[in-house]
């Protein structure tokens, strides 16, 4: 199973994890709350980052609390909370609210940390026909054990994760072995996108038609995605592996694009 159709049920829903999928490190779920409802969650063995996708309410953990508000992923940067393994959290909704919950094996000694829109640094990367905005929520310098998490907005008519790149081999300084998941939103929501995952080495070649709320698992291979004209594509990306490094390698057939567009990295 590599492609999971949304939307997902109320409460905490476990969507993809090791065992039923090719994932070995990552787990992803969603938390959907109706107005006035609340939920308390504890993940004994997993470090967790909760990313607010939309809604308004309260976020409480043993060391703090905050009111959160995000109309949607297209108009506001993320509010997120990193939790070490074993720490509980309480989510309360004033209106219909949705969170993404990303997990990996964790360390109980790491501190929790709130990430707010004002602490994030969006940047536009790429060239003609493949421009997108990238925001790192948990970058390589963030004190986590395994998780790397961020958000990408791909403008209508543009490609993303392009030139095609992969991160499935451990070659320090060149490439880190990281499995990945994408959670998508599309504006307007009637739109679609196309996600390609391919690798001759792993003998895979998959093309998925993406709708808003879908999740795709990327255990290996190159994975470009395209948004059709008129539709903005958002995806939350989460990666995990033994080494936390954003080191990727470009498909040799398309590496010339880096020099042509004077790019230092495909991300």
């Amino acid at each position: 199973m590599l492609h999971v159709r949304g939307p997902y049920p109320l409460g905490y829903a476990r969507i993809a994890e090791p065992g039923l999928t090719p994932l070995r490190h990552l787990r992803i779920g969603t938390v959907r709350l109706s107005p006035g409802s609340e939920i308390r969650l504890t993940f004994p063995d997993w470090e967790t980052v909760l990313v607010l996708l939309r809604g308004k309410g309260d976020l409480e953990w043993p060391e703090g609390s905050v009111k959160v508000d995000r109309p949607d992923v297209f108009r506001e940067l993320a509010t997120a909370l990193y939790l070490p393994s074993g720490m509980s959290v309480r989510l309360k909704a004033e209106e219909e609210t949705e969170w993404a919950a990303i997990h990996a094996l964790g360390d109980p000694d790491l501190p929790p940390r709130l990430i707010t829109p004002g602490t994030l640094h969006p940047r536009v990367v790429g060239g003609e026909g493949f421009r997108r905005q990238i925001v790192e929520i948990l970058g390589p310098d963030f004190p986590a054990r395994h998780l790397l998490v961020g958000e990408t907005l791909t403008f209508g008519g543009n490609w993303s994760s392009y030139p095609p790149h992969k991160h499935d081999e451990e070659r320090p300084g060149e490439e880190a072995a990281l499995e990945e998941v994408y959670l998508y939103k599309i504006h307007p929501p009637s739109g679609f996108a196309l996600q390609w995952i391919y690798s001759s080495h792993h003998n895979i070649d998959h093309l998925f038609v993406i709708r808003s709320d879908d999740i795709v698992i990327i255990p290996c291979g190159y994975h470009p995605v395209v948004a059709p004209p008129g539709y903005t594509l958002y995806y939350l990306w989460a990666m995990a592996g033994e080494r936390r490094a954003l080191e990727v390698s470009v498909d040799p057939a398309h590496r010339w694009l880096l020099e042509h567009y004077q790019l230092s990295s495909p991300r």
Side-chain angles (χ1 to χ4, degrees):
M1 180 179 66
L2 296 180
H3 183 196
V4 186
R5 289 285 190 197
Y8 307 103
L10 289 173
Y12 173 68
R14 296 165 64 170
I15 308 301
E17 58 188 48
L20 298 177
T21 72
L23 294 172
R24 296 184 299 115
H25 301 282
L26 270 174
R27 296 160 170 81
I28 183 170
T30 60
V31 182
R32 292 185 60 237
L33 300 176
S34 55
S37 65
E38 62 179 81
I39 192 171
R40 185 177 295 274
L41 300 168
T42 305
F43 305 103
D45 301 315
W46 306 343
E47 64 176 355
T48 296
V49 60
L50 294 165
V51 180
L52 180 63
L53 300 174
R54 61 184 175 93
K56 184 178 183 179
D58 297 297
L59 173 62
E60 298 178 4
W61 65 104
E63 298 186 12
S65 64
V66 66
K67 287 195 171 294
V68 298
D69 185 1
R70 190 182 195 187
D72 57 52
V73 298
F74 302 98
R75 289 180 284 171
E76 181 75 51
L77 296 178
T79 295
L81 178 67
Y82 172 82
L83 294 167
S85 59
M87 185 170 285
S88 63
V89 63
R90 175 176 170 265
L91 307 173
K92 185 176 181 180
E94 293 184 21
E95 57 188 43
E96 189 171 330
T97 303
E98 182 182 8
W99 298 78
I102 311 295
H103 316 283
L105 286 176
D107 185 339
D109 296 326
L110 290 172
R113 184 172 172 184
L114 179 68
I115 299 102
T116 60
T119 65
L120 299 175
H121 304 285
R123 66 188 193 275
V124 175
V125 301
E128 183 181 358
F130 58 104
R131 295 195 192 280
R132 65 272 195 195
Q133 175 184 284
I134 296 177
V135 181
E136 292 179 5
I137 298 173
L138 269 62
D141 296 330
F142 189 97
R145 181 177 176 186
H146 290 293
L147 288 176
L148 292 160
V149 178
E151 297 181 322
T152 296
L153 278 181
T154 306
F155 312 119
N158 280 261
W159 289 81
S160 200
S161 293
Y162 190 89
H165 68 265
K166 71 180 184 72
H167 35 77
D168 57 19
E169 294 182 79
E170 191 54 47
R171 294 182 293 139
E174 297 183 38
E175 183 178 352
L178 299 166
E179 59 193 22
E180 188 166 20
V181 295
Y182 283 179
L183 184 156
Y184 309 85
K185 299 284 186 181
I186 298 172
H187 179 76
S190 58
F192 66 97
L194 298 176
Q195 176 73 65
W196 186 22
I197 305 174
Y198 68 94
S199 169
S200 57
H201 178 73
H202 294 279
N203 194 30
I204 60 172
D205 191 353
H206 302 292
L207 183 64
F208 299 117
V209 177
I210 301 302
R211 303 288 186 180
S212 204
D213 297 315
D214 286 3
I215 288 174
V216 162
I217 297 161
I218 306 167
C220 59
Y222 304 101
H223 43 279
V225 59
V226 63
Y231 296 98
T232 302
L233 172 68
Y234 160 96
Y235 56 90
L236 174 72
W237 47 267
M239 296 186 281
E242 293 299 330
R243 188 167 62 90
R244 295 182 70 247
L246 287 174
E247 296 174 358
V248 305
S249 65
V250 174
D251 185 339
H254 307 294
R255 194 172 291 154
W256 65 271
L257 290 161
L258 294 179
E259 181 177 352
H260 181 77
Y261 288 99
Q262 299 180 334
L263 302 173
S264 59
S265 168
R267 288 207 65 84

